[in-house]
Amino acid sequence: MTEWDPSKPILEIENLSISFFTRAREIPAVMDFSCTVMPGEAMGLVGESGCGKSTVALGVMQDLGVNGRIVGGTIKFKGRDLNTMSAAELAKIRGSEIAMIYQEPMASLNPAMKIGRQLMEVPMIHQNMQAGQARARARQLVADVRLPDPDRILDAYPHQLSGGQQQRIVIAMALMANPTLLILDEPTTALDVTVEAGIVDLVKDLGRKYGTSMLFISHNLGLVMETCNRLCVMYSGEAVETGNITDVFNKMRHPYTQALFRAIPLPSASKTARPLRAIPGNFPLPHERPPGCNFGPRCDYFKSGHCDAKDIAMSELPGDDRHESRCLRIDEIDWDAAWESTEQAEATSIGDVVLKMDDVRKYYEVAASALFSGGETKVVKANETLSFDAREGETLAIVGESGCGKSTFAKVLMGLETASGGKIMLFDENVQSTPIQQRNTDTVSSLQMVFQNPFDTLNPSMTVGAQIIRALEIFKVGRTPAERRQRMLELLDLVKLPRAFAERMPRQLSGGQKQRVGIARAFAGDAKVVVADEPVSALDVSVQAAVTQLLMDIQRKNGTTLLFISHDLSIVRYLSDRVMVMYLGHVVELGTTDQVFAPPYHPYTEALLSAVPVADTTVQKKRIVLEGDIPSAMNPPPGCPFQTRCRWKSDVPGGLCETEVPPMRKLPEGHQIKCHLADDILARMEPVFTLSNEAAE
């Protein structure tokens, strides 16, 4: 066997084609895909769901299942073609030289084995390492992935760790055998933005420390910019643009790359002056791809008879670092003019207060031993003295990490839970202690919810039309079936779905289409207040832009009050008029979007903003990584709830942060911050985001 030359690529994929074979047909998932990863490089693979990113990764791992097959091209690892290797040779390489980290950490962990044993297995199997040595290496890597008390972690079972801790263990497991190539498939999708920031920093540091090359699969362009030095954009099974991150971000030369960027809420986007632009049309199914350019039917620059005449190859762009694009019209398009936005939207007029919360609290009593219901009961303080109001036509965003009490607040408001204290005034009615079963039809129809996961909220055995008509019946809208059917069709128009969809079953709809049905159902009773709980987090960026625009269009038309629960601060900045930041049941900051996104900040808001990945090379960002997880609501820390993770604590004299809950401070123009920091320190806070002079102009 010839020795590999370290000046050559670690991974070289050339003209790769992968198909899945069903009884009906061959489905081409990846076609003519090429990419090269050099030693120490991190390559980002981005694109919408279904574009073939994960299929490429599984092709590299030679793990395509019974139906998948490589039907063309080569995948070379260290100069050797993986396609021609025997099962024994592949087993030797997988896990030791090529390791993969999956999206869902629990899919990679054995729930019945202690963490230490699972980590030790890797070098014991791949390197014949002795148990003592393997445990020492496991302990070292648990410390490397910044987990506290490595010995306790090694003796814990997976269920005893949080999601972020589990993902760190999976990363440690992948690095146990010191692989040359690490493949990460959406490793932070299910994690909070603060945990995600820690994981991204960790992956970069470990890449440098161990010299590992990376293939990083994500749909989050900001995350890829922070992690990778090269980028490959995929669309419908093909690479459409590839190059150095800076070249691709600043000089994108494929209409799809540009369309992706116009659909994400960059700091320069504005819901009135520069609205997001969703990509028109739908992603083609693998067996329905158009002739010529796959992106042609959705492209602003499509030229019939030219773009659809023949298959298009990647072409190199002179002067850049291995920058290539699959477009025939690169030299004919004015790329700078293409960024100018002529679209403008009118601002929603904000009216009277429709919802007011005064000192609302929600406590749960939990038995000390949930299994045997014995011992003294403990109190979980899920929400502590929430006070705010929301006006007609306003978007109020509620942000914070998992476990901060956002969803509990939504359940209390909807009547799925009753509050332990305080007042909730919806219009002129106090609904604080009225469960949903006892609320009148008017109250229920005027206060509706759009959920995070559109798959779980639709009845799989009823047509789309029938589900909306059912809601209309409950809300007593329309006197006859014909009137209700007409209203249902109007609601489909409202959410921009074809009327023919009324006869479709949920399984025949994409994720974005299902979410639109959920929105149509929420507005069936002419809802005045809508709680949107992470409504776009499960959707692709283009679908996310379309659903966001849809919510805003409906809001303008109906004067709806939107309570937008999210941990994605990019979309919050774009969409909201005011922002409420929650931490461990407390409201720690409340103000207009401009107030919350500029200093002075609550220290927690500052850390949250710093964790947001921004896909813009002109934005400089301060890096503040929060250590540790949110404390348990069953056992909160004394004093300020954030003091265990606060970097400003030493600026407050006399240990005040550890003994007293800070009061809510009222700053000018209605801005509120719950913090002990002195006024002069708050005034000295620096912005987290700064624009370069060029961008500021």
Side-chain angles (χ1 to χ4, degrees):
M1 191 179 84
T2 54
E3 195 65 32
W4 170 67
D5 176 359
S7 67
K8 295 273 177 23
I10 286 275
L11 180 69
E12 202 171 4
I13 304 175
E14 278 186 28
N15 310 113
L16 177 68
S17 295
I18 298 174
S19 290
F20 289 90
F21 292 85
T22 66
R23 276 186 224 167
R25 60 170 75 88
E26 175 187 350
I27 297 171
V30 172
M31 304 166 307
D32 187 33
F33 177 85
S34 300
C35 100
T36 305
V37 182
M38 298 300 286
E41 264 184 358
M43 169 72 83
L45 210 52
V46 300
E48 293 169 278
S49 300
C51 72
K53 306 185 297 286
S54 297
T55 306
V56 168
L58 294 172
V60 174
M61 295 298 286
Q62 299 286 309
D63 183 22
L64 291 163
V66 286
N67 295 339
R69 204 158 10 170
I70 292 170
V71 292
T74 57
I75 305 173
K76 288 182 181 168
F77 173 70
K78 290 188 173 180
R80 297 176 65 204
D81 190 348
L82 293 170
N83 300 351
T84 59
M85 285 189 188
S86 66
E89 287 176 304
L90 285 169
K92 207 170 167 189
I93 283 179
R94 275 196 214 111
S96 62
E97 294 209 58
I98 306 177
M100 187 157 173
I101 296 168
Y102 295 89
Q103 184 170 345
E104 176 46 62
M106 275 311 282
S108 311
L109 296 173
N110 183 336
M113 274 174 79
K114 287 184 176 177
I115 297 293
R117 189 74 213 161
Q118 296 190 54
L119 290 171
M120 288 161 62
E121 272 190 346
V122 181
M124 287 168 75
I125 290 169
H126 288 291
Q127 297 165 339
N128 295 324
M129 199 181 270
Q130 295 299 313
Q133 232 181 323
R135 185 165 176 100
R137 177 149 176 78
R139 193 185 185 288
Q140 172 62 47
L141 267 160
V142 168
D144 276 352
V145 297
R146 302 188 199 134
L147 282 170
D149 196 355
D151 293 314
R152 182 185 66 80
I153 296 276
L154 291 176
D155 285 327
Y157 286 97
H159 71 269
Q160 294 171 305
L161 307 182
S162 70
Q165 289 175 332
Q166 287 171 1
Q167 193 60 287
R168 283 167 189 252
I169 289 299
V170 171
I171 291 171
M173 192 182 288
L175 292 168
M176 277 298 288
N178 208 357
T180 324
L181 177 68
L182 186 59
I183 301 172
L184 302 101
D185 189 0
E186 301 270 15
T188 60
T189 303
L191 304 176
D192 275 317
V193 66
T194 48
V195 181
E196 178 180 82
I199 298 275
V200 166
D201 266 18
L202 174 68
V203 166
K204 283 196 305 197
D205 290 350
L206 294 174
R208 281 195 291 268
K209 180 174 177 179
Y210 292 102
T212 314
S213 302
M214 284 188 276
L215 192 61
F216 189 95
I217 296 169
S218 180
H219 64 267
N220 186 328
L221 286 154
L223 209 55
V224 167
M225 188 182 114
E226 292 190 358
T227 320
C228 305
N229 40 30
R230 292 191 67 75
L231 176 67
C232 177
V233 182
M234 284 189 78
Y235 180 79
S236 191
E238 294 179 326
V240 294
E241 185 165 7
T242 181
N244 177 296
I245 281 272
T246 316
D247 288 340
V248 177
F249 274 47
N250 294 347
K251 293 188 283 181
M252 50 196 76
R253 290 295 178 265
H254 194 281
Y256 176 62
T257 313
Q258 191 185 63
L260 267 185
F261 272 83
R262 284 194 298 213
I264 59 176
L266 297 171
S268 57
S270 151
K271 67 177 178 179
T272 50
R274 192 172 166 180
L276 300 181
R277 279 180 61 184
I279 304 172
N282 288 316
F283 199 76
L285 293 169
H287 55 283
E288 293 173 358
R289 290 186 177 112
C293 175
N294 280 345
F295 188 59
R298 305 173 77 188
C299 180
D300 291 346
Y301 315 108
F302 179 74
K303 197 171 172 185
S304 185
H306 181 55
C307 297
D308 53 2
K310 59 176 185 183
D311 286 346
I312 301 165
M314 292 287 269
S315 56
E316 194 154 346
L317 295 157
D320 288 349
D321 173 18
R322 292 180 281 153
H323 189 180
E324 297 179 0
S325 170
R326 197 184 291 271
C327 179
L328 294 175
R329 304 197 61 201
I330 294 171
D331 300 328
E332 301 165 38
I333 296 168
D334 181 347
W335 294 96
D336 293 327
W339 271 104
E340 299 306 316
S341 176
T342 51
E343 294 172 46
Q344 289 217 328
E346 58 185 88
T348 314
S349 56
I350 293 175
D352 297 331
V353 172
V354 293
L355 173 71
K356 189 169 176 61
M357 285 201 162
D358 267 332
D359 285 344
V360 172
R361 296 182 301 285
K362 176 61 186 172
Y363 298 164
Y364 294 97
E365 286 200 349
V366 188
S369 166
L371 190 60
F372 302 108
S373 306
E376 59 185 278
T377 56
K378 289 195 170 187
V379 173
V380 177
K381 297 183 176 183
N383 285 155
E384 278 278 39
T385 58
L386 294 184
S387 296
F388 70 92
D389 55 35
R391 295 170 182 275
E392 184 185 346
E394 178 181 48
T395 301
L396 173 69
I398 296 129
V399 300
E401 294 166 284
S402 305
C404 73
K406 305 188 298 286
S407 296
T408 301
F409 144 78
K411 286 177 190 165
V412 169
L413 182 56
M414 298 303 297
L416 300 171
E417 304 268 5
T418 52
S420 309
K423 253 175 35 178
I424 303 173
M425 298 299 292
L426 182 62
F427 303 104
D428 296 321
E429 185 185 355
N430 185 1
V431 294
Q432 171 259 331
S433 54
T434 316
I436 195 160
Q437 301 88 328
Q438 290 166 24
R439 292 185 181 182
N440 62 44
T441 307
D442 284 350
T443 305
V444 173
S445 65
S446 62
L447 176 63
Q448 282 293 299
M449 191 156 181
V450 178
F451 295 89
Q452 177 171 358
N453 194 341
F455 309 94
D456 295 342
T457 55
L458 297 178
N459 184 331
S461 58
M462 283 172 79
T463 64
V464 164
Q467 303 202 40
I468 297 173
I469 287 170
R470 177 81 185 108
L472 292 167
E473 286 169 353
I474 291 168
F475 298 145
K476 300 183 171 59
V477 175
R479 284 166 301 191
T480 63
E483 276 183 24
R484 283 195 277 271
R485 179 164 180 81
Q486 182 55 33
R487 176 69 184 138
M488 177 269 291
L489 294 172
E490 287 166 8
L491 282 163
L492 288 179
D493 295 342
L494 181 73
V495 296
K496 299 182 174 69
L497 281 177
R499 290 187 168 195
F501 274 42
E503 307 311 318
R504 288 201 182 181
M505 303 300 280
R507 66 173 182 276
Q508 296 170 292
L509 272 55
S510 68
Q513 289 165 342
K514 285 180 184 164
Q515 194 59 291
R516 283 164 189 258
V517 175
I519 293 169
R521 204 171 50 178
F523 282 93
D526 200 20
K528 293 287 179 277
V529 180
V530 171
V531 180
D533 188 0
E534 301 270 15
V536 293
S537 64
L539 307 175
D540 272 319
V541 284
S542 177
V543 183
Q544 192 178 71
V547 171
T548 305
Q549 291 306 112
L550 171 67
L551 281 169
M552 280 160 40
D553 289 346
I554 296 173
Q555 183 180 50
R556 284 186 198 103
K557 191 175 170 187
N558 295 9
T560 317
T561 303
L562 190 61
L563 300 181
F564 191 83
I565 298 174
S566 181
H567 67 265
D568 181 347
L569 283 149
S570 305
I571 203 94
V572 162
R573 181 182 203 154
Y574 170 74
L575 192 66
S576 58
D577 301 301
R578 283 193 303 146
V579 181
M580 181 165 96
V581 183
M582 289 186 70
Y583 185 83
L584 203 61
H586 292 256
V587 175
V588 295
E589 185 161 3
L590 178 62
T592 66
T593 308
D594 289 343
Q595 287 169 342
V596 171
F597 278 78
Y601 308 108
H602 185 280
Y604 177 57
T605 310
E606 181 191 45
L608 269 186
L609 290 175
S610 157
V612 178
V614 179
D616 190 338
T617 53
T618 62
V619 173
Q620 301 290 315
K621 196 175 73 170
K622 203 184 205 179
R623 203 82 179 115
I624 304 156
V625 174
L626 281 182
E627 299 297 330
D629 294 322
I630 289 195
S632 162
M634 200 183 291
N635 189 20
C640 173
F642 186 59
Q643 54 103 348
T644 56
R645 302 165 81 194
C646 181
R647 73 189 193 103
W648 291 89
K649 189 165 75 167
S650 57
D651 290 287
V652 177
L656 200 59
C657 297
E658 291 165 14
T659 53
E660 283 184 38
V661 176
M664 186 60 105
R665 307 253 293 279
K666 290 187 167 49
L667 303 178
E669 296 172 22
H671 189 189
Q672 300 178 40
I673 292 182
K674 190 180 260 192
C675 186
H676 285 304
L677 283 174
D679 290 350
D680 61 319
I681 295 172
L682 284 175
R684 287 203 310 268
M685 278 189 165
E686 294 172 356
V688 170
F689 298 116
T690 47
L691 287 173
S692 67
N693 297 336
E694 194 183 319
E697 286 162 24

